[in-house]
Amino acid sequence: MKLVVAIIKPSRLEEVRQALNSLDVHGMTVTEVKGYGRQKGHSEIYRGTEYAVHFLPKLKLEIALDDELVDQVATAIRDAAHTGRIGDGKVFVLELLAITRIRTGETGLSAL
């Protein structure tokens, strides 16, 4: 089992969700986060004063999967989140050691 973690632009969430639904992947956790990388922020003007915004809003997606789907899901996220501009995001794949469904006590793949 794997955990796919993706950092994407907020404007691309619906496209990513639709791409995952087309692969029959329906469960994910979405968290609003802030960060910076090569994009390094930008400047904004508020009431005539210029402010530097170093941390930009992003979304963090977390999806637990069977090993067989990881490559398809990573590719689908990459394709759906791609704009060709700096700051499109990243996809990470991590090993999941255990999963337990709290309601039923199921473990492993049956808990997905």
Side-chain angles (χ1 to χ4, degrees), residues 3-13 16-17 20 27-35 56-64 77 81 87-94:
L3 180 66
V4 175
V5 178
I7 307 297
I8 65 169
K9 291 181 176 183
S11 62
R12 303 304 294 174
L13 178 61
V16 170
R17 189 189 66 75
L20 294 176
M28 81 171 130
T29 301
V30 179
T31 309
E32 292 180 1
V33 295
K34 291 185 179 192
L56 300 173
K58 302 288 183 181
L59 294 178
K60 178 180 177 183
L61 312 178
E62 297 171 297
I63 308 152
I77 293 170
D88 275 351
K90 295 218 172 19
V91 178
F92 306 95
V93 179
L94 308 167

Side-chain angles (χ1 to χ4, degrees), residues 23-70:
L23 293 174
D24 232 16
V25 175
H26 300 290
M28 81 171 130
T29 301
V30 179
T31 309
E32 292 180 1
V33 295
K34 291 185 179 192
Y36 76 95
R38 291 186 179 158
Q39 200 172 3
K40 295 186 173 81
H42 64 276
S43 297
E44 289 185 3
I45 296 176
Y46 177 72
R47 294 189 178 187
T49 304
E50 188 172 347
Y51 293 94
V53 178
H54 298 290
F55 292 94
L56 300 173
K58 302 288 183 181
L59 294 178
K60 178 180 177 183
L61 312 178
E62 297 171 297
I63 308 152
L65 299 166
D66 188 11
D67 292 348
E68 298 171 2
L69 291 173
V70 171

